[in-house]
């Protein structure tokens, strides 16, 4: 792995076992940091509001992102639209620590994603299966996450994406070398990356979970399914007691396989975000289908 | 030999292979009872604010301080921040077991992260690590800077004049690096730390004290 990519993946390594929280202002960012978040995602509207409001969702105002960067000492991430390399250039210039090329925003290009190798700032991208994950890595992403179904509070899609990627990797390791090229063709993924995963039995970068996390138990479920950290979008600040819920989810990620600790973390958190079940959403309105 | 890695958050897993290569078994530490029977403890890279938060929640702060009185600790990046006596940018609580002042994120944000070659000089008493002068890769990620090293703190390596690897010979002997040896190909620092831990083990058995007794 070349040096630039090692530094990008290196920061992802430091975020492992942590929770990255969506925040829309400096006050929320501070609450997230105090609750033990390893990073915050600065954006103007959480996915639940983007879903409710409709219209075109774009990169957030740099001034708002900058305010958040000033108020917390932890890494700050921000989102650009799929394929919108000019937004990504602005975020890099601003100095955010990670750029999320996100399906939560309205895509800017219906064919191409951003050439992420051209950037010094690392990128995280969503993936629903191994082929999609390896295409993003081929473009230069340094960190992967499930897409889940953002803004719903329904965990079903994140679970499906984690299981799918895990199954795809396992299947790949059962193939012999003569089958790798055909599998690369089937996955629509770069051959070199297919070969690497077949050989190592794991992705070359960390894979985090995102999309629909609303409770400590949701976070624990995703960690036990192999996620290495968890993004929480609307789940914290759309709940009855954000500070308490944020701290509880942080603990649930650390103690994902310790039910006694999970009982403590889950108690008395007040209302979870009310949410919307995936099956209540018209398939055309689902965000996980965005990205190519 | 069993060496613990604080496993509350951060880059824990890369240490398993590195410690195995240094002849030690990695033990994840999440609760105070996990410290029993360990010869040393690594405080890994991660986010120091998150680690502090979880150290408070798990009640590990005092047990680790007690452990540090008789066993070596190695703090890496965020872990080095935890070891320090004083932290700046912003000021925050710390274990205070190593007499250094450290300033968080002093090289800048992620865009200013870098990899460089470091000249490393290890103290003479580590016979198990061959040679004293080494050239090692240093991976610096949103790294802190050691801006003051107290008396008794030996500087093992510098970058642009600032200490980036230090060893404190007082008490059990603690190591702090502001860069990430677990992300490089070399094994020097893991071997060195294992040697320090082994030395403590010998000393401990000589004093007829069971390992881990400090945590009881």
């Amino acid at each position: 792995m070349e040096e630039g990519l090692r530094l990008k993946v290196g920061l992802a390594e430091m975020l492992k076992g942590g929770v990255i929280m969506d925040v829309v202002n400096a006050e929320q960012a501070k609450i997230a940091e105090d609750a033990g978040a390893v990073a915050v995602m600065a954006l103007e509207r959480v996915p639940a509001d983007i879903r409710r409001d409709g219209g075109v969702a774009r990169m957030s105002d740099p001034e708002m992102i900058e305010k958040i960067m000033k108020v917390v000492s932890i890494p700050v991430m921000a989102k650009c639209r799929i394929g919108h390399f000019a937004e990504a250039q602005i975020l890099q210039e601003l100095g955010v620590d990670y750029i999320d090329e996100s399906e939560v925003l309205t895509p800017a290009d219906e064919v191409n994603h951003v050439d992420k190798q051209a950037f010094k700032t690392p990128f995280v991208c969503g993936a629903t299966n191994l082929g999609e994950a390896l295409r993003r890595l081929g473009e230069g992403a340094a960190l992967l996450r499930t897409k889940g179904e953002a803004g719903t509070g329904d965990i079903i899609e994140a679970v499906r994406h984690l299981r799918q990627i895990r199954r795809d990797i396992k299947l790949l390791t059962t193939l012999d070398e003569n089958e790798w090229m055909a599998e690369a063709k089937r996955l629509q993924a770069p051959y070199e990356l297919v070969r690497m995963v077949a050989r190592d039995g794991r992705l070359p970068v960390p894979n985090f979970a995102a999309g629909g996390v609303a409770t400590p138990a949701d976070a624990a479920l995703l960690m036990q399914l192999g996620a290495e950290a968890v993004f929480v979008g609307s789940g914290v600040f759309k709940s009855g007691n954000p500070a308490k819920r944020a701290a509880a989810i942080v603990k649930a990620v650390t103690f994902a396989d310790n039910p006694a600790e999970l009982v403590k973390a889950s108690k008395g958190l007040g209302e979870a975000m009310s949410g919307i079940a995936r099956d209540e959403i018209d398939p055309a309105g689902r965000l996980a289908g965005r990205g190519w | 030999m069993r060496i613990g890695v604080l496993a509350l958050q951060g880059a824990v897993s890369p240490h398993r292979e590195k410690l195995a290569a240094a002849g030690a078994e990695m033990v994840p530490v999440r609760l105070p009872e996990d410290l029993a029977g360990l010869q040393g403890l690594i405080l890994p890279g991660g986010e120091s604010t998150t680690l502090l938060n979880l150290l408070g929640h798990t009640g590990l702060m005092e047990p680790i301080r007690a452990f540090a009185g008789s066993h070596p600790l190695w703090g890496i990046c965020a872990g080095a921040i935890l070891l320090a006596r004083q932290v700046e940018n912003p000021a925050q609580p710390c274990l205070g077991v190593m007499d250094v002042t450290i300033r968080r994120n002093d090289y800048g944000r992620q865009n200013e992260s870098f990899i460089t070659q470091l000249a490393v000089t290890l103290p003479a008493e580590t016979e198990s690590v061959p040679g004293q002068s080494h050239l090692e890769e240093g991976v610096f990620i949103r790294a802190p800077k050691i801006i003051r090293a107290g008396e008794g703190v030996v500087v093992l390596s510098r970058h642009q004049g600032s200490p980036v690897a230090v060893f404190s010979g007082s008490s059990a002997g603690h190591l702090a690096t502001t860069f990430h040896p677990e992300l490089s190909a070399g094994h020097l620092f893991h071997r060195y730390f294992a040697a320090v831990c082994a030395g403590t083990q010998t000393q401990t058995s000589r004093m007829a004290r069971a390992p881990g007794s400090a945590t009881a």
Side-chain angles (χ1 to χ4, degrees):
Chain A
M1 212 183 267
E2 52 93 24
E3 276 195 4
L5 185 56
R6 287 178 60 207
L7 285 170
K8 294 172 177 178
V9 176
L11 179 54
E13 288 285 337
M14 298 310 135
L15 302 175
K16 277 186 178 175
V19 181
I20 301 130
M21 301 181 194
D22 280 4
V23 297
V24 300
N25 55 43
E27 188 195 354
Q28 288 187 355
K30 201 65 201 143
I31 291 172
E33 182 175 56
D34 290 346
V38 287
V40 291
M41 178 76 70
L43 72 179
E44 273 165 0
R45 291 179 291 171
V46 294
D49 290 336
I50 291 174
R51 192 177 280 290
R52 188 198 61 206
D53 298 348
V56 177
R58 310 179 179 89
M59 177 189 78
S60 298
D61 183 343
E63 191 176 18
M64 168 265 177
I65 298 170
E66 213 160 34
K67 276 186 191 155
I68 289 174
M69 289 165 67
K70 282 199 181 113
V71 79
V72 294
S73 63
I74 55 179
V76 175
M77 304 186 177
K79 291 181 193 287
C80 75
R81 284 179 264 180
I82 288 172
H84 207 315
F85 53 82
E87 284 186 349
Q89 288 160 359
I90 292 168
L91 294 174
Q92 171 168 266
E93 185 62 29
L94 197 58
V96 302
D97 297 288
Y98 246 96
I99 299 171
D100 183 6
E101 187 181 18
S102 177
E103 69 284 357
V104 166
L105 305 184
T106 310
D109 190 320
E110 58 188 340
V111 179
N112 306 293
H113 282 250
V114 172
D115 169 19
K116 294 166 273 287
Q117 289 184 353
F119 288 78
K120 188 167 192 193
T121 308
F123 277 75
V124 52
C125 286
T128 60
N129 57 51
L130 183 60
E132 194 174 11
L134 297 185
R135 288 195 293 280
R136 298 297 84 80
L137 295 187
E139 293 155 0
L143 171 62
L144 294 164
R145 56 169 175 76
T146 63
K147 289 181 177 170
E149 189 55 38
T152 60
D154 187 348
I155 202 66
I156 191 168
E157 284 291 291
V159 168
R160 191 164 69 84
H161 300 159
L162 268 181
R163 284 198 183 277
Q164 183 67 48
I165 288 179
R166 200 166 66 161
R167 191 183 310 127
D168 290 345
I169 292 173
K170 276 189 186 153
L171 172 69
L172 191 50
T173 60
T174 65
L175 304 180
D176 75 57
E177 304 171 16
N178 299 292
E179 299 174 289
W180 291 351
M181 184 58 85
E183 186 63 5
K185 183 181 170 190
R186 191 184 74 81
L187 291 169
Q188 300 183 16
Y191 174 75
E192 280 307 316
L193 290 171
V194 169
R195 200 174 67 142
M196 196 183 285
V197 174
R199 202 186 47 205
D200 300 343
R202 58 180 179 81
L203 291 164
V205 307
N207 188 26
F208 294 179
V213 177
T215 67
D218 288 346
L221 174 68
L222 298 174
M223 291 299 286
Q224 288 194 48
L225 285 171
E228 296 173 287
V230 174
F231 286 84
V232 186
S234 319
V236 168
F237 289 100
K238 284 287 167 191
S239 75
N241 189 339
K244 200 167 180 190
R245 184 165 295 266
I249 294 174
V250 167
K251 279 152 199 140
V253 167
T254 296
F255 291 103
D257 56 1
N258 183 334
E261 286 287 331
L262 292 176
V263 170
K264 281 194 259 173
S266 303
K267 275 183 182 168
L269 299 180
E271 285 282 302
M273 71 177 284
S274 63
I276 172 170
R278 176 201 63 180
D279 292 344
E280 293 169 19
I281 304 168
D282 175 13
R286 294 184 193 169
L287 306 176
R290 294 171 170 179
W292 354 104
Chain B
M1 183 168 49
R2 291 154 54 86
I3 294 179
V5 178
L6 186 69
L8 298 174
Q9 188 274 317
V12 177
S13 53
H15 289 291
R16 188 174 297 279
E17 196 183 310
K18 294 281 183 192
L19 286 174
E25 182 198 345
M26 178 188 115
V27 179
V29 172
R30 292 192 183 87
L31 295 167
E33 53 265 36
D34 298 335
L35 289 168
L38 300 181
Q39 270 82 60
L41 178 67
I42 295 176
L43 308 176
E47 274 307 315
S48 64
T49 51
T50 304
L51 291 170
L52 273 173
N53 184 303
L54 290 163
L55 282 172
H57 169 72
T58 54
L60 264 166
M61 207 81 175
E62 281 313 314
I64 289 178
R65 268 197 197 112
F67 183 84
S70 50
H71 299 80
L73 301 189
W74 174 15
I76 299 168
C77 194
I81 295 169
L82 296 179
L83 276 189
R85 183 153 297 170
Q86 198 178 3
V87 182
E88 295 182 357
N89 188 35
Q92 62 187 37
C94 39
L95 290 164
V97 300
M98 190 182 252
D99 186 19
V100 297
T101 302
I102 196 161
R103 194 183 290 146
R104 294 182 59 201
N105 303 329
D106 203 54
Y107 295 93
R109 306 187 71 94
Q110 174 62 12
N111 285 350
E112 284 74 54
S113 292
F114 61 97
I115 296 178
T116 189
Q117 292 298 313
L118 300 170
V120 180
T121 308
L122 295 179
E125 62 263 31
T126 55
E127 314 88 10
S128 49
V129 181
Q132 287 185 41
S133 288
H134 310 262
L135 198 59
E136 282 289 300
E137 181 189 77
V139 179
F140 292 79
I141 296 172
R142 286 173 49 96
K145 198 179 278 173
I146 296 169
I147 56 170
R148 184 193 62 85
E151 269 182 54
V153 175
V154 183
V155 177
L156 309 181
S157 184
R158 289 178 188 274
H159 174 66
Q160 293 174 346
S162 299
V164 293
V166 294
F167 182 76
S168 154
S170 64
S171 64
H174 304 311
L175 176 65
T177 57
T178 58
F179 56 95
H180 294 275
E182 79 280 13
L183 299 182
S184 291
H187 291 90
L188 179 71
F189 281 92
H190 286 82
R191 287 210 179 109
Y192 175 55
F193 186 62
V196 173
C197 293
T200 311
Q201 190 179 16
T202 317
Q203 200 183 355
T204 308
S205 52
R206 207 184 298 137
M207 290 159 70
R209 273 169 43 190
S213 61
T215 67

